[in-house]
Amino acid sequence: MSKPIFILNGPNLNLLGTREPEIYGHTSLADLKAMCEARAAKRGHELFFEQSNSEEQIIDWVHEAINGADGLIINPAAFTHTSVAILDALMNVTCPIIELHISNPHKREPFRHHSYTTFAAQGLIAGLGVNGYIHAVDAIADMLAAD
Ligand code: DQA
């Protein structure tokens, strides 16, 4: 039986649409969720799409993904650059993981150049704006179709 694709979003992404729009664009998190759900439905997948400002909550969702997800797309936001704990959680996930960033952290401040979490990811999408999420859904769907 197929399981949902998890899309997990880290801190401050609840402010999408109004947060530094020159960097993150004008699409709200609710609109992004609707875009992702439409794309996933087209590819025959259900989504579990969530956002939290809490590291603990994100870790708990990653734990749920261990047995509960067919694929995991994660934008850890600022936790990308700080969280060994999220990396440790991700290391237990056996389904495909894509790390995603709306902006390109490598074109930004030096403290954004290091990611703890990429070590656990199959792939990385960055700098494509919120459309990166659609590419990530397609990439996971393609990987699952190839299985
Ligand atoms: C981000 C990039 C991170 O450096 C930043 O802390 C974010 C968002 C992105 O999607 O571009 O909150 O992950």
Side-chain angles (χ1 to χ4, degrees):
M1 211 186 77
S2 76
K3 301 171 193 167
I5 296 170
F6 277 37
I7 302 186
L8 303 180
N9 296 284
N12 301 303
L13 292 169
N14 53 311
L15 300 179
L16 268 186
T18 56
R19 172 195 187 195
E20 298 176 274
E22 66 288 356
I23 297 176
Y24 298 111
H26 294 277
T27 306
S28 69
L29 188 69
D31 287 347
L32 176 59
K33 180 179 180 187
M35 280 164 56
C36 291
E37 277 171 352
R39 189 57 165 218
K42 230 178 208 167
R43 301 295 309 256
H45 293 282
E46 299 214 329
L47 284 191
F48 176 80
F49 184 108
E50 293 293 343
Q51 184 277 333
S52 178
N53 296 323
S54 148
E55 187 174 22
E56 181 183 349
Q57 176 64 80
I58 291 167
I59 291 166
D60 286 345
W61 283 329
V62 171
H63 291 176
E64 281 180 36
I66 294 170
N67 292 313
D70 274 348
L72 172 57
I73 297 162
I74 184 163
N75 183 348
F79 292 143
T80 308
H81 318 299
T82 62
S83 184
V84 175
I86 293 177
L87 169 62
D88 284 348
L90 289 169
M91 293 304 285
N92 297 285
V93 174
T94 52
C95 67
I97 299 174
I98 294 181
E99 178 175 317
L100 182 141
H101 301 284
I102 296 166
S103 66
N104 178 355
H106 293 280
K107 270 191 92 174
R108 300 181 62 193
E109 304 94 324
F111 63 84
R112 296 184 200 277
H113 295 181
H114 179 258
S115 164
Y116 283 101
T117 44
T118 308
F119 187 73
Q122 225 106 8
L124 174 65
I125 293 175
L128 303 182
V130 292
N131 275 341
Y133 284 79
I134 303 301
H135 294 301
V137 168
D138 276 338
I140 296 275
D142 288 348
M143 286 182 222
L144 297 174
D147 264 359

